[in-house]
Amino acid sequence: MNLPCPTCSANELRATTLTEGLPAQSCPECRGAVLPLIAYRDWRNAHAAPDEAIVDAGDASSAAADDSKAMLHCPQCKGFMTKFRFSADTANHIDHCDRCDLVWLDHGEWRLVEQLARSGQLAKIFDAVWQKRLREEQAKRRAEARWREQLGEDFAKAKELRGWLTTHPKGKELLAYLFLSQTEGA
Ligand SMILES: [Zn+2]
Ligand SMILES: [Zn+2]
């Protein structure tokens, strides 16, 4: 029996492939897909490229991908799925069922995670380590956005100066000199 679509539950999922050799089940209407992570791991093992360093999952065209906002029920166990962001570069979430070890990819989301999947990292998104790193990256970007707003057109120059100071062997001394110029008027 086919599983029901978690977003448009009137429809049944049909067997498909996300890419060559990677079986999944997709909805003919919303075109989202259920991917069992066991199938993903098998596919990864069969296409064994070495694990790569963490790649930037960013994709400027993420606007083309759907992202279901509602909490979804797992099509298999009917329990709630958990939403996980996978990159600071896209607001999309992947829905994951921990009990069944499967994910729901809205239409277009496979393309967003394909690079992560090919480098062996799709199943790592749901780890605490990945999520912590992602939250840190998001916090960094929020802080940068605040500075950008505050400094206006000088932000780019300030960022360049900051980069130069942080890598300079006498960065601390240079910073002290600049700081003192404010208080001593030197
Ligand atoms: Zn659907
Ligand atoms: Zn489930």
Side-chain angles (χ1 to χ4, degrees):
M1 205 188 95
N2 293 336
L3 298 173
C5 174
T7 64
C8 34
S9 49
N11 292 295
E12 285 191 349
L13 303 177
R14 296 175 190 170
T16 185
T17 50
L18 287 174
T19 186
E20 202 188 330
L22 181 56
Q25 294 185 51
S26 79
C27 172
E29 188 162 318
C30 68
R31 295 196 284 160
V34 164
L35 171 63
L37 289 178
I38 189 166
Y40 164 66
R41 291 189 187 94
D42 283 350
W43 171 79
R44 246 306 278 179
N45 291 338
H47 298 71
D51 276 21
E52 290 165 24
I54 285 170
V55 291
D56 192 349
D59 188 323
S61 56
S62 64
D66 294 339
D67 187 29
S68 52
K69 301 294 180 219
M71 289 287 282
L72 301 182
H73 289 280
C74 170
Q76 197 159 287
C77 72
K78 311 296 177 208
F80 276 119
M81 302 181 86
T82 312
K83 292 185 181 296
F84 288 91
R85 273 186 70 172
F86 50 91
S87 162
D89 295 317
T90 159
N92 281 67
H93 295 79
I94 292 182
D95 296 274
H96 176 242
C97 178
D98 191 34
R99 291 166 294 272
C100 305
D101 202 28
L102 56 77
V103 293
W104 169 255
L105 301 166
D106 292 298
H107 173 60
E109 283 182 339
W110 165 250
R111 211 174 43 76
L112 296 181
V113 297
E114 187 170 359
Q115 210 188 346
L116 286 176
R118 289 191 182 279
S119 63
Q121 300 179 86
L122 184 58
K124 293 181 187 167
I125 292 168
F126 319 108
D127 286 353
V129 176
W130 186 284
Q131 290 298 315
K132 181 169 179 283
R133 194 181 59 87
L134 183 54
R135 282 194 300 275
E136 285 166 357
E137 177 62 24
Q138 287 173 269
K140 197 175 122 194
R141 291 189 186 200
R142 279 195 299 272
E144 190 166 302
R146 282 196 297 272
W147 281 114
R148 190 184 298 274
E149 197 178 326
Q150 197 170 350
L151 297 173
E153 60 184 20
D154 288 327
F155 176 77
K157 194 184 272 184
K159 192 177 175 182
E160 193 185 330
L161 179 60
R162 181 172 158 157
W164 179 69
L165 281 171
T166 48
T167 55
H168 198 288
K170 293 198 172 181
K172 280 202 174 77
E173 290 84 348
L174 286 162
L175 190 61
Y177 173 73
L178 290 171
F179 178 75
L180 287 173
S181 72
Q182 292 294 301
T183 52
E184 294 177 347

